[in-house]
Amino acid sequence: YQGQTKRKRIRRKKQKNSLQNSNNLHGEQTESGMQETLVQDNLQLQKTDIPKISKNRKRKMKKKRHKEKMRAAGLVTKTTGVDFTYQPDKNNREEAAGLKDIDEKTDSILDFLQATQQIYFADNKAECTDSAVNSATAQELLQHLESRTISSSDVTLLHQLKSLVLLQDIERLKDALKQFQEQSMMPPDHAKIVTSLFHYWITDILPVKNRK
């Protein structure tokens, strides 16, 4: 009887354990099933939440990833912006300064020759010179100076003649006038007007000033 009761108790324990195990297995299966359903539901939600990516967008993303891989491998260097802002160099600055200097010289020569030709023709010197030297030709020369259609080399020569007149250096003025006649690029009638006006300074105006 005692042995039978022991067997029964053992059997009961085994049955109880088997019941617990079956319950545990059933619980685990239900939990795993619930987890699977939750994962599937999440995946479906994610699929529904993610908007559709267009083919163009996919292509751009693929290119971007490819560039990043190439850059990481050192095959592609990052491009830097180039500044094309214009910056004048030394030569351009010197050229601009030279043009400004020529412009100022032209203005001063224009004023000087206007005053000289008025005195020249008022003193009736034009009657004693060549018929090509007249007020119309002189006016044409002044218009060329005003419109800046005279070469810069002629402007330099004229400015030198004017400076020597102001210095009242007759001998150097004579030499500079000869140099002007040899190197001038002006039309012959304009060059003749200039020569006559400065010769008038040499022969009539400066000697009187020097005597005074």
Side-chain angles (χ1 to χ4, degrees), residues 78-126:
K78 189 176 180 182
T79 57
T80 55
V82 181
D83 188 8
F84 290 101
T85 306
Y86 174 71
Q87 297 179 349
D89 56 10
K90 186 179 178 182
N91 292 332
N92 288 335
R93 287 196 296 270
E94 288 177 356
E95 185 180 353
L99 290 172
K100 185 179 179 182
D101 181 58
I102 290 293
D103 195 57
E104 291 175 354
K105 285 179 179 179
T106 305
D107 286 335
S108 66
I109 293 163
L110 180 61
D111 294 337
F112 177 79
L113 290 181
Q114 278 179 336
T116 302
Q117 65 99 17
Q118 287 174 2
I119 299 169
Y120 181 80
F121 289 109
D123 200 20
N124 296 321
K125 290 291 178 181

Side-chain angles (χ1 to χ4, degrees), residues 51-81:
K52 284 188 177 181
I53 301 173
S54 63
K55 290 182 180 179
N56 191 23
R57 178 69 177 166
K58 284 181 181 178
R59 187 168 61 253
K60 286 182 179 178
M61 289 173 71
K62 190 175 179 182
K63 277 186 178 180
K64 188 177 179 182
R65 285 196 297 270
H66 180 69
K67 282 183 180 179
E68 287 175 356
K69 287 180 182 179
M70 295 288 282
R71 193 177 291 119
L75 298 173
V76 177
T77 56
K78 189 176 180 182
T79 57
T80 55

